[in-house]
């Protein structure tokens, strides 16, 4: 019988009163992350918001930090490097790099849901160096080349 992968989470000392990441519905893929600070994000500004959690993921997994659709739709707040990646060997506090694409400054209060975290399985491919790649129907057609 194969043992189940262990996913570990801890809270930073200054975030013990914040909720742990959680799904808001049984079918949700993402778990909401909460802001560990209050901050004003001016329009056009980006800021790294700490979430008050640390994770230890098994090798072969990553945590993706993604935008919350409601914040994006209503206020233009999104994750700048979406999705942000938390690697399996990272042990620091998880942050969400947010940017305000909205028309107005946006206030984030400590404890607000600011992003979501999705756990994904990842492969670690080994590349083989070759002098030439095999051909394909698309070839070297880049952005917009398929219509």
């Amino acid at each position: 019988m194969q043992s189940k992968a262990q996913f570990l989470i801890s809270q930073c000392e200054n975030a013990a009163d914040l909720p742990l990441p959680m799904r808001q519905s049984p079918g949700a893929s993402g778990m909401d992350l909460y802001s560990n600070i209050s901050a004003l994000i001016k329009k056009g500004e980006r800021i790294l918001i700490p979430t008050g959690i640390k994770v230890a993921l098994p090798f072969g997994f990553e945590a993706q930090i993604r935008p919350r659709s409601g914040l994006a739709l209503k206020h233009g707040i999104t994750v700048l490097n979406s999705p942000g990646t938390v690697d399996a060997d990272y042990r620091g506090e998880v942050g969400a790099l947010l940017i305000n694409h909205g028309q107005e400054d946006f206030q984030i209060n400590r404890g607000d849901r600011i992003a979501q975290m999705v756990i994904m399985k990842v492969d670690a491919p080994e590349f083989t160096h070759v002098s030439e790649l095999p051909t394909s129907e698309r070839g070297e057609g880049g952005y917009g080349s398929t219509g």
Side-chain angles (χ1 to χ4, degrees):
M1 185 172 174
Q2 191 178 24
S3 64
K4 197 168 185 174
Q6 250 193 339
F7 297 83
L8 306 175
I9 189 166
S10 68
Q11 288 176 293
C12 299
E13 247 181 64
N14 64 349
D17 60 321
L18 294 176
L20 288 173
M22 64 180 73
R23 289 177 172 81
Q24 297 299 312
S25 71
S29 299
M31 296 167 273
D32 283 344
L33 297 174
Y34 300 85
S35 177
N36 196 19
I37 62 170
S38 292
L40 180 68
I41 307 177
K42 296 182 179 177
K43 57 184 177 180
E45 185 180 55
R46 62 187 176 273
I47 185 171
L48 182 63
I49 303 289
T51 64
I53 63 161
K54 298 178 181 184
V55 295
L57 304 172
F59 284 102
F61 289 87
E62 69 166 332
Q64 294 183 354
I65 310 304
R66 300 180 182 188
R68 292 193 65 238
S69 57
L71 285 180
L73 176 64
K74 296 173 186 170
H75 305 286
I77 304 298
T78 191
V79 175
L80 184 58
N81 60 327
S82 185
T85 295
V86 179
D87 294 308
D89 58 352
Y90 176 66
R91 295 296 182 268
E93 183 173 7
V94 173
L97 181 55
L98 301 183
I99 187 165
N100 183 350
H101 286 304
Q103 302 300 312
E104 300 175 4
D105 297 349
F106 184 76
Q107 177 66 43
I108 291 178
N109 297 307
R110 187 173 183 278
D112 285 352
R113 295 182 294 159
I114 55 161
Q116 57 182 324
M117 178 171 66
V118 175
I119 306 298
M120 299 292 294
K121 190 157 183 49
V122 293
D123 287 325
E126 291 187 26
F127 287 96
T128 301
H129 181 260
V130 295
S131 59
E132 195 172 304
L133 296 175
T135 61
S136 72
E137 188 175 320
R138 181 176 179 179
E140 294 186 16
Y143 292 100
S145 67
T146 61

